[in-house]
Amino acid sequence: MELPFAESWKIKMVEPIRKSTREEREQWLKEANYNVFQLAADQVYIDCLTDSGTGAMSDRQWAALMMGDESYAGSRSFFELRDVITRLTGFEYVIPTHQGRAAENVLFSALVKAADVCPGNSHFDTTKGHIESRKAVALDCTVDEAKDTQLEVPFKGNVDINKLEKALEENADKVPFIIVTITNNTAGGQPVSMQNLRDVRRVADKYGKRVIFDSARFAENAYFIKTREEGYADKSIKEITREMFALADGMTMSAKKDGIVNMGGFIATRHQDWYEAAKNFCIPFEGYLTYGGMNGRDMAALAIGLDENTEFDNLDTRIKQVQYLASLLDEYGIPYQRPAGGHAIFVDASKILTNVPKEEFPAQTLTIELYREAGVRGCEIGYILADRDPVTRQNRFGGLDLLRLAIARRVYTDNHMKVIAAALKNVFDRRHEITRGVEIVWEAPLMRHFTVKLRPLG
Ligand SMILES: *Cc1c(COP(=O)(O)O)cnc(C)c1O
């Protein structure tokens, strides 16, 4: 008999979690203004809000914390981190930051100015925020396939090369860089192929432009290249990451994802001029160059996390768990962005709550229903997250309206996946009775989803 698949680790430390009653959850939802970001974590049974900073560190990482060098300048932990990053990416210059958006803030302060155009594939919300707040344009050049959740294509996160060429033709003198997000978070944790990265490089070279990888999930992207793209099955993940980053000029990184640490990030580049320019913003915004926004011990743990999470077995365990959850949703007929992405399942709310008009935010409504059902906290990646158009101030209803179930790395077991799927099925079974959504009572001008206050309608 063939042995079944199992995790590539065992558990050394546990943290109790608590179930709640439906009455409790109803009250807590009300107090949170129907925004799950406003719930206390203790009010959540299974937390799928995000995979950011929620991973479980390994015994080696915890041991590394004790070995961290807290020297202000020239910390040994910085050099350990830099050396791992150089080994994985080929980039020689590294600036640690306190998280991914800080890397964006530091680097974009040096590179982006008003009226610039930054083409890319579904810029992440903070990335878009850092571009738009500098009065520049984040131009989305994602392949159209990404918009059809039921289409089964292997690299749905790709950049549409024709759109990119057109953007460069029209705006060549206004483009400070092209930014490719690997994996494409907003499109559903969908990977970008090596071929597509090569094509982006070719177009960039043609117009004399540089390329940044927004690399939060670069290791998961490498896993998909290994398992889905021809010619990579026999290459190691580390060989693949080297080949990917050889096609870029620099990267911003949220280490809270594929670094498997709870806080951290960095900029890395091969170009001294970018490094010199970014340095001027790192020191006032983040800190001195050999710690940026991080403790020495956190850099030490990150160095190990990056090394571990670019090993196949660790990634295989992770991606197979996400795929297991997807297989349960398949069994129940629940539509999601296909195929399953790297870090999350993105449930297609617009295909489920068909009686809720888009002006009443179906994905947010589904997020609330899932929490109400079982204390499972997901996250709306839809019309609320999309914010208003900066010029017309109208809600942006053009994109997808999804409920994201993000899976923390090395935290929950497959039994938790079963609970999530069953809770969602219970909501799915009564989907036709759900006819009203929510309305916005208060919102912030930018990145409103974190603090928006809502009221249920009907
Ligand atoms: C999380 C993330 C960021 C921002 O990183 P933080 O660490 O949350 O500041 C940027 N880009 C992508 C693709 C991300 O997933």
Side-chain angles (χ1 to χ4, degrees):
M1 174 176 183
E2 198 187 334
L3 297 180
F5 181 80
E7 291 78 3
S8 65
W9 34 256
K10 58 183 177 175
I11 296 166
K12 191 176 304 209
M13 190 186 282
V14 297
E15 176 184 353
I17 49 178
R18 180 183 166 279
K19 284 189 203 173
S20 50
T21 65
R22 194 175 281 263
E23 291 69 38
E24 283 176 317
R25 292 193 292 276
E26 200 58 64
Q27 179 62 27
W28 292 334
L29 269 174
K30 208 178 194 173
E31 289 164 7
N33 292 295
Y34 298 88
N35 177 352
V36 295
F37 279 98
Q38 302 294 319
L39 290 168
D42 285 347
Q43 297 166 341
V44 175
Y45 174 39
I46 301 173
D47 205 347
C48 299
L49 185 71
T50 176
D51 64 321
S52 179
T54 53
M57 292 206 296
S58 68
D59 51 354
R60 287 173 63 220
Q61 286 180 286
W62 282 107
L65 287 183
M66 291 295 168
M67 302 296 287
D69 176 1
E70 305 302 338
S71 301
Y72 191 96
S75 159
R76 182 183 65 245
S77 303
F78 168 77
F79 295 115
E80 285 166 10
L81 175 60
R82 190 198 60 185
D83 290 350
V84 171
I85 293 168
T86 305
R87 195 150 51 79
L88 294 174
T89 66
F91 297 149
E92 182 182 338
Y93 301 103
V94 173
I95 296 178
T97 60
H98 77 273
Q99 59 184 97
R101 68 199 64 190
E104 293 165 355
N105 189 32
V106 168
L107 188 60
F108 294 2
S109 290
L111 302 182
V112 180
K113 54 184 195 314
D116 277 355
V117 176
C118 306
N121 56 337
S122 325
H123 309 67
F124 182 67
D125 55 346
T126 63
T127 317
K128 190 158 74 181
H130 278 300
I131 293 170
E132 290 181 349
S133 67
R134 290 176 172 80
K135 306 217 172 334
V137 178
L139 190 68
D140 185 12
C141 299
T142 309
V143 291
D144 288 334
E145 283 108 318
K147 287 207 183 107
D148 179 353
T149 59
Q150 299 312 292
L151 205 63
E152 194 100 22
V153 295
F155 292 100
K156 238 176 169 175
N158 279 356
V159 177
D160 184 320
I161 297 299
N162 293 329
K163 287 186 200 169
L164 179 64
E165 274 249 39
K166 187 158 170 287
L168 284 162
E169 243 168 53
E170 287 170 5
N171 306 290
D173 52 333
K174 290 191 231 150
V175 173
F177 53 75
I178 298 161
I179 183 157
V180 186
T181 306
I182 51 174
T183 59
N184 185 329
N185 182 353
T186 313
Q190 296 293 326
V192 178
S193 70
M194 191 73 85
Q195 185 55 50
N196 193 245
L197 295 177
R198 266 187 230 116
D199 291 341
V200 169
R201 181 77 261 170
R202 180 175 46 74
V203 174
D205 287 345
K206 182 172 158 192
Y207 291 89
K209 298 297 172 190
R210 287 184 181 174
V211 179
I212 296 172
F213 288 172
D214 179 357
S215 311
R217 300 179 185 81
F218 75 97
E220 291 171 4
N221 201 83
Y223 175 91
F224 286 118
I225 287 174
K226 181 177 168 74
T227 53
R228 290 183 185 171
E229 192 163 354
E230 211 182 312
Y232 290 94
D234 296 329
K235 293 206 164 134
S236 72
I237 296 293
K238 287 183 169 69
E239 284 169 332
I240 294 171
T241 64
R242 268 304 273 251
E243 190 175 330
M244 282 161 48
F245 286 104
L247 299 164
D249 294 284
M251 67 192 287
T252 51
M253 175 77 186
S254 169
K256 302 171 70 169
K257 285 63 170 261
D258 273 351
I260 324 193
V261 290
N262 304 115
M263 191 56 69
F266 57 86
I267 299 164
T269 177
R270 67 176 82 259
H271 298 295
Q272 194 179 359
D273 61 323
W274 269 9
Y275 175 66
E276 297 295 336
K279 259 162 77 169
N280 298 329
F281 294 97
C282 178
I283 294 176
F285 289 169
E286 291 291 294
Y288 181 66
L289 299 170
T290 56
Y291 69 87
M294 296 180 77
N295 296 309
R297 55 181 168 275
D298 290 343
M299 292 189 286
L302 174 55
I304 306 263
L306 287 169
D307 185 42
E308 280 180 357
N309 202 30
T310 46
E311 288 299 318
F312 179 76
D313 285 350
N314 200 69
L315 287 163
D316 200 34
T317 296
R318 161 151 190 77
I319 304 288
K320 288 216 164 106
Q321 183 170 57
V322 176
Q323 290 171 346
Y324 174 64
L325 175 58
S327 73
L328 296 174
L329 300 195
D330 285 340
E331 202 177 301
Y332 305 148
I334 300 172
Y336 60 88
Q337 171 72 302
R338 309 185 71 86
H343 65 290
I345 297 294
F346 291 66
V347 180
D348 192 344
S350 63
K351 288 196 162 52
I352 297 173
L353 297 187
T354 49
N355 294 334
V356 177
K358 64 180 188 308
E359 292 76 13
E360 297 180 13
F361 304 107
Q364 179 63 26
T365 306
L366 189 61
T367 305
I368 294 166
E369 288 293 339
L370 180 65
Y371 174 74
R372 184 179 273 142
E373 177 68 28
V376 175
R377 174 160 70 170
C379 178
E380 191 246 27
I381 303 282
Y383 301 143
I384 291 182
L385 179 84
D387 270 331
R388 290 173 189 272
D389 184 285
V391 180
T392 66
R393 302 307 300 160
Q394 294 301 305
N395 280 311
R396 292 193 265 212
F397 291 121
L400 295 172
D401 197 35
L402 307 168
L403 156 61
R404 182 180 74 178
L405 300 169
I407 310 302
R409 292 168 183 77
R410 311 191 287 210
V411 170
Y412 292 113
T413 68
D414 286 357
N415 284 323
H416 294 111
M417 300 302 118
K418 286 187 206 165
V419 174
I420 298 164
L424 196 57
K425 180 185 188 302
N426 290 345
V427 176
F428 184 68
D429 287 347
R430 55 181 169 80
R431 63 192 179 280
H432 298 303
E433 296 152 33
I434 303 168
T435 57
R436 298 303 305 269
V438 291
E439 70 176 354
I440 294 178
V441 182
W442 180 87
E443 65 184 285
L446 203 64
M447 293 191 217
R448 63 182 179 184
H449 60 290
F450 292 122
T451 52
V452 70
K453 293 183 180 172
L454 302 163
R455 179 168 50 214
L457 295 164

